[in-house]
């Protein structure tokens, strides 16, 4: 399988950052990302359990171990089509908005980008592959170390992290004075690139793309790397660690998140058989 991105890709004007029209989805925008606790709702309980495991186990030591393991890039070999097909067997256990195989979301995102900007092949590709790091779930990684919102390890956890009130109670970094202060192991204004993020599909795919000398524009790589960093791009946390350059990155991430990623999640399933030849 070959996917060719033009050598000098056309870049969007990031001022196009807008909330989506209601026609984007089959439910109201305000009803997305509902993390209310309801132990009578199996979907909500599945999501809450996934985050509890994530927030208990994502420590500095754990993330360092994942880097040592996964960043050798020797777990498996696959082309884009093969990786996408694996997502046909993955339902994201952290997602309160979509209880469908992740391949559906991949095409929903790509198709919305193609509909709005048919000339921007790099944006279609970014939408199609942005969650491909979730294939780690097929190679021994538990979903709490693959899916869900991300956050920096090694410093105080942001207040806007979902289930923040009690989900970190058993995380050992919370009682470590090296890690539990506002800045923790980081210098103020060190920048996004200086942070060690919780381990998950965003960071893994970003590292895979860089390792393989991807020709995607830098904006696309940053969208992939930080699209799940909700406490920063949507929650307003961690500004004491970021820079003015990161604020530009945030606009790109928000544009991607709001126009193509989050709000395209719906029960309307694209015709995957018809679309697959386009991805070849």
């Amino acid at each position: 399988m070959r996917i060719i991105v033009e050598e000098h890709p056309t870049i969007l004007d990031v001022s196009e950052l807008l909330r989506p029209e209601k026609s984007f989805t089959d439910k109201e925008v305000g009803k997305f990302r509902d993390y209310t606790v309801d132990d009578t709702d199996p979907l909500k309980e599945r999501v809450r359990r996934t985050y509890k495991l994530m927030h208990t186990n994502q420590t500095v030591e754990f993330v360092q171990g994942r880097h040592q393991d996964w960043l050798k890039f020797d777990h498996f070999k696959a082309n884009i089509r093969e990786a996408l097909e694996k997502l046909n067997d993955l339902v994201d256990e952290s997602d309160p908005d979509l209880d469908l195989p992740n391949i559906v979301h991949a095409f929903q995102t790509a198709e919305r980008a193609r509909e709005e900007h048919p000339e921007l092949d790099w944006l279609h590709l970014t939408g199609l592959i942005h969650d491909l790091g979730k294939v780690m779930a097929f190679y021994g990684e538990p979903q709490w170390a693959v899916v869900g919102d991300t956050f920096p390890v090694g410093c105080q956890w942001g207040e806007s992290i979902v289930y923040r009130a009690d989900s970190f109670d058993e995380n050992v970094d919370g009682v470590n004075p090296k890690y539990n202060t506002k800045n923790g192991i980081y210098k103020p204004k060190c920048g996004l690139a200086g942070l060690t993020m919780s381990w998950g599909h965003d960071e893994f795919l970003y590292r895979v793309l860089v390792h393989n000398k991807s020709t995607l524009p830098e904006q696309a790589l940053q969208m992939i790397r930080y699209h799940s960093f909700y406490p920063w791009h949507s929650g307003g946390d961690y500004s004491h660690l970021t820079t003015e350059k990161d604020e530009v990155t945030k606009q790109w991430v928000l544009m991607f998140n709001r126009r193509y990623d989050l709000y395209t999640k719906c029960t309307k399933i694209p015709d995957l058989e018809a679309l697959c030849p386009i991805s070849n």
Side-chain angles (χ1 to χ4, degrees), residues 64-270:
Q64 290 172 342
R66 295 300 83 203
H67 285 191
Q68 292 172 7
D69 186 26
W70 283 96
L71 300 186
K72 296 174 183 175
F73 307 108
D74 60 357
H75 281 67
F76 66 98
K77 185 176 182 179
N79 60 33
I80 297 296
R81 177 70 174 272
E82 290 166 345
L84 279 170
E85 288 176 349
K86 279 192 173 294
L87 295 188
N88 201 38
D89 295 318
L90 179 74
V91 174
D92 185 331
E93 295 176 358
S94 72
D95 195 337
D97 298 312
L98 195 65
D99 198 26
L100 292 169
N102 220 238
I103 191 174
V104 174
H105 173 55
F107 278 98
Q108 287 173 332
T109 306
E111 279 302 282
R112 184 61 193 178
R114 189 162 70 98
E115 179 183 338
E116 285 200 341
H117 296 284
E119 76 285 5
L120 299 182
D121 58 353
W122 69 268
L123 184 60
H124 316 159
L125 177 58
T126 302
L128 186 67
I129 71 171
H130 75 283
D131 277 346
L132 278 190
K134 293 179 182 179
V135 297
M136 289 190 294
F138 298 98
Y139 297 92
E141 204 69 277
Q143 283 218 23
W144 56 261
V146 174
V147 301
D149 296 0
T150 58
F151 55 91
V153 296
C155 65
Q156 195 174 79
W157 301 299
E159 290 299 320
S160 68
I161 296 175
V162 297
Y163 308 112
R164 170 67 174 83
D166 58 9
S167 60
F168 287 96
D169 289 352
E170 298 174 60
N171 187 307
V172 296
D173 284 359
V175 295
N176 187 330
K178 184 178 179 180
Y179 303 139
N180 64 9
T181 61
K182 185 176 181 179
N183 292 322
I185 60 176
Y186 308 109
K187 293 181 178 180
K189 300 298 180 182
C190 64
L192 285 177
L195 301 178
T196 299
M197 300 300 295
S198 56
W199 183 246
H201 67 284
D202 298 36
E203 186 69 16
F204 177 58
L205 180 59
Y206 168 78
R207 296 293 193 106
V208 167
L209 291 170
V210 172
H211 177 73
N212 286 284
K213 298 179 174 58
S214 168
T215 59
L216 282 170
E218 183 62 22
Q219 289 89 339
L221 295 175
Q222 298 308 307
M223 292 176 202
I224 288 168
R225 192 178 196 182
Y226 298 113
H227 72 271
S228 299
F229 190 9
Y230 277 88
W232 166 67
H233 66 63
S234 296
D237 292 329
Y238 301 106
S239 60
H240 59 292
L241 297 175
T242 57
T243 65
E244 289 185 12
K245 179 182 177 182
D246 295 332
E247 289 303 305
V248 176
T249 296
K250 181 188 289 187
Q251 298 308 304
W252 285 102
V253 174
L254 283 171
M255 181 276 293
F256 176 74
N257 176 265
R258 293 178 178 177
R259 293 203 71 81
Y260 308 117
D261 184 11
L262 177 60
Y263 297 122
T264 57
K265 294 177 181 179
C266 62
T267 56
K268 182 180 178 182
I269 302 177

Side-chain angles (χ1 to χ4, degrees), residues 44-60:
K44 288 183 181 296
E45 275 298 283
R46 182 192 74 188
V47 172
R48 187 184 64 80
R49 286 194 301 269
T50 300
Y51 274 102
K52 175 62 177 175
L53 288 167
M54 178 197 301
H55 295 167
T56 297
N57 293 291
Q58 289 271 9
T59 64
V60 171

